[in-house]
Amino acid sequence: MQTEIIIAGFGGQGVLFAGQVLAYAAMDGGLHVTWIPSYGPEMRGGTANCTVIIGDEEIGAPLVKHPKAVIALNLPSLDKYEPLVAEGGALLVNSSLIDHQVARADVRVVYVPANEIAERLGDKRLTNMVMVGALLAATGALDMQVVKSALKAHLPAKHHKLLPANYDALDEGAQIAREALAQAV
Amino acid sequence: MAKELLKGNNAMAEAAIRAGCEAYFGYPITPQTELLEHMAARMPELGRAFVQAESEVAAINMVYGTACTGKRVMTSSSSPGVSLMTEGLSYIAGTEVPMVLIDVMRGGPGLGNIAPAQGDYNQMVRGGGHGDYKSIVLAPASVQEAIDLTVLAFDLAEKYRAIAVVLADGSLGQMMEPAELPEMQPLRKGTPDWAITGEPGRPRRLLTSIYLQPEAEETTNIRLQRRWLDVEANEVRYQETYLDDADIALVAFGTAGRVALSAVRQARAEGIKVGLFRPISLSPFPVAQIRQLASRVRSLLVVEMNAGQMLDDVKLAAQGACPVEFYGRMGGVVPLPDEVLAEILRVSTHPTADLNGHTRAAWLDRLEAGRGGN
């Protein structure tokens, strides 16, 4: 059993770090995990994505065609990955920057105004953690507490003052996903 | 030691340091650069040598010089950079001094691109440079295995006074996985009895790759070939998965081996009896094991990220005992498990004999049809 997650957006939106948080949490939770970035000849402001695969046995291919979950932080990412999410998978859309509605009816969609929430929490750099919170609630890929512990364990001590805001961002994202999916049922 | 989340490039660099690498010489190239960066940070901290040379040609000759002193030494690069090093590799092989090379392969030929590929199989497995010599070539498929094989490479290079290559690819270099690093090994005291150390008073030692008398050069060649027979007898490594009851065996190394594993699991879930043979030592190649495998399965399916370079070695090993089919992607395209699964299904439902020698033409037809508008 494995869960494949693609996180995609602009460079600078915390795409790679969000994936690493999931990878650290999976490792700390005793699971197998791979994290692999797109590493094309790109620069700040260009597109960035990473693939995280979490499983309970040795992971084979580090890339998949049809991921079980996608976080789309901007419109080009939604355009690219909407057709590829596995049937029944989760599509987390940053509605702060994407005003499109998802056309597919066979995936679970959650619209998260992640930039607004991050700015309300005091730091727009929390956008990625809001989306990660929504992902956790929508997929159950990892336990929220394990992710919070992983943040604390692997963030350098000098950044620990940022932990409470990160926890809030995770919780708010998760809350939005829970509400959205409850309405959808 | 506890597991850490490590990027392949950094993990190989740190593994080399802990294996006692005392000198690193290199030149940056994607997708390998983090390896050099890690060395740039760590080697001076430990009082060891790090030089970013002015070119790959300079770097490999610095490696050559250091190798002659008996110190553990390495370089790393990616495909085009390794091509620049091949003259030096041949000199090092001819001089019979040990070194480790890590090649994080990328798309080619030519300048190509920075995406993961396996197009340097032939170059590394056949030695790379001119003349009759072979290098030990180890192909990891995970970050943990990249660590373990880097440490092993230093030991084997020394044991056989040979070049040991860790042949990775951009995917493995850039990927992060939980892995465990070895303890820091103490640096070896003293030097091997062939090393040149400038010590006055003891009998002269000579390290060279120039033997102007053909008979003397032939004597060296005989020594190299005899030593290689020992390597073949002792250093074959491979991994078998789900092969016990398999009708079809995939043969794939490195990242292609991981992709094949995913496809094998999917095919097993559909009730197809398929397994995976993953060569870990590409040189020496597991010839006897593949010969034996070919005699008990219905078909072999070789999967590579190149145009079928290991395919030739598998066919030689199989000696026609069963059909050998092929699927590959080239130029930096990493095959997806779905594509390999489709190939397993094809081989499973049409076990047509592939003994006519048209393996590549048939594969190219399927590949072009599958690419559609790409």
Side-chain angles (χ1 to χ4, degrees), chain B residues 95-180:
Chain B
T95 308
E96 302 166 75
V97 287
M99 69 158 286
V100 170
L101 164 66
I102 298 180
D103 181 0
V104 183
M105 292 181 285
R106 60 186 241 178
L111 198 51
N113 57 45
I114 61 176
Q118 297 180 327
D120 306 348
Y121 174 96
N122 279 342
Q123 184 184 36
M124 288 295 100
V125 164
R126 311 292 179 230
H130 58 280
D132 269 313
Y133 74 95
K134 287 195 167 192
S135 303
I136 296 164
V137 182
L138 307 169
S142 67
V143 173
Q144 184 66 61
E145 200 172 42
I147 291 170
D148 299 343
L149 294 182
T150 298
V151 175
L152 178 66
F154 280 97
D155 293 339
L156 295 183
E158 249 168 33
K159 183 176 176 186
Y160 297 102
R161 291 180 62 173
I163 299 165
V165 179
V166 177
L167 192 62
D169 63 66
S171 172
L172 206 53
Q174 296 297 319
M175 175 191 292
M176 292 180 93
E177 283 186 305
E180 196 173 340

Side-chain angles (χ1 to χ4, degrees), chain A residues 113-127 129-130 162 164-173:
Chain A
N115 286 60
E116 276 100 323
I117 293 170
E119 279 167 31
R120 178 161 52 72
L121 292 172
D123 192 337
K124 67 181 180 202
R125 289 175 300 175
L126 293 166
T127 305
M129 288 302 111
V130 176
L162 303 170
N166 276 276
Y167 296 162
D168 289 346
L170 287 165
D171 287 334
E172 291 226 15

Side-chain angles (χ1 to χ4, degrees), chain A residues 33-35 39 58-61, chain B residues 114 116 176-178 258 262 265:
Chain A
V33 63
T34 59
W35 171 96
Y39 64 94
E58 181 191 353
I59 290 162
Chain B
I114 61 176
M176 292 180 93
E177 283 186 305
R258 297 181 69 124
S262 291
R265 284 187 187 139

Side-chain angles (χ1 to χ4, degrees), chain B residues 9-234:
Chain B
N9 282 334
N10 299 82
M12 288 187 281
E14 186 60 29
I17 288 168
R18 296 190 184 196
C21 178
E22 290 192 70
Y24 174 98
F25 307 96
Y27 188 81
I29 180 170
T30 308
Q32 164 278 159
T33 296
E34 295 87 352
L35 206 167
L36 175 140
E37 284 175 346
H38 190 96
M39 286 298 197
R42 287 277 285 146
M43 294 292 270
E45 272 177 17
L46 296 163
R48 304 184 191 179
F50 169 90
V51 178
Q52 181 177 317
E54 69 269 35
S55 71
E56 287 87 349
V57 176
I60 194 65
N61 283 289
M62 293 175 188
V63 170
Y64 186 14
T66 306
C68 290
T69 71
K71 300 286 187 191
R72 289 197 158 187
V73 58
M74 72 171 289
T75 186
S76 60
S77 190
S78 179
S79 311
V82 172
S83 289
L84 286 167
M85 293 181 178
T86 50
E87 181 203 44
L89 290 174
S90 176
Y91 279 54
I92 288 166
T95 308
E96 302 166 75
V97 287
M99 69 158 286
V100 170
L101 164 66
I102 298 180
D103 181 0
V104 183
M105 292 181 285
R106 60 186 241 178
L111 198 51
N113 57 45
I114 61 176
Q118 297 180 327
D120 306 348
Y121 174 96
N122 279 342
Q123 184 184 36
M124 288 295 100
V125 164
R126 311 292 179 230
H130 58 280
D132 269 313
Y133 74 95
K134 287 195 167 192
S135 303
I136 296 164
V137 182
L138 307 169
S142 67
V143 173
Q144 184 66 61
E145 200 172 42
I147 291 170
D148 299 343
L149 294 182
T150 298
V151 175
L152 178 66
F154 280 97
D155 293 339
L156 295 183
E158 249 168 33
K159 183 176 176 186
Y160 297 102
R161 291 180 62 173
I163 299 165
V165 179
V166 177
L167 192 62
D169 63 66
S171 172
L172 206 53
Q174 296 297 319
M175 175 191 292
M176 292 180 93
E177 283 186 305
E180 196 173 340
L181 286 161
E183 299 281 352
M184 182 74 87
Q185 285 183 26
L187 294 181
R188 186 190 41 222
K189 297 210 169 56
T191 51
D193 60 10
W194 47 261
I196 48 171
T197 56
E199 189 178 324
R202 66 156 162 68
R204 180 168 174 257
R205 294 171 181 172
L206 177 66
L207 291 172
T208 183
S209 81
I210 180 169
Y211 297 92
L212 289 177
Q213 292 301 321
E215 290 76 11
E217 182 68 78
E218 189 176 53
T219 301
T220 299
N221 271 272
I222 288 170
R223 194 164 57 241
L224 288 173
Q225 295 303 319
R226 283 281 170 207
R227 199 178 288 148
W228 188 256
L229 292 181
D230 286 345
V231 175
E232 284 183 341
N234 298 320

Side-chain angles (χ1 to χ4, degrees), chain A residues 46-64:
Chain A
T47 57
N49 72 70
C50 65
T51 302
V52 178
I53 303 183
I54 299 168
D56 54 14
E57 61 179 345
E58 181 191 353
I59 290 162
L63 298 169
V64 292

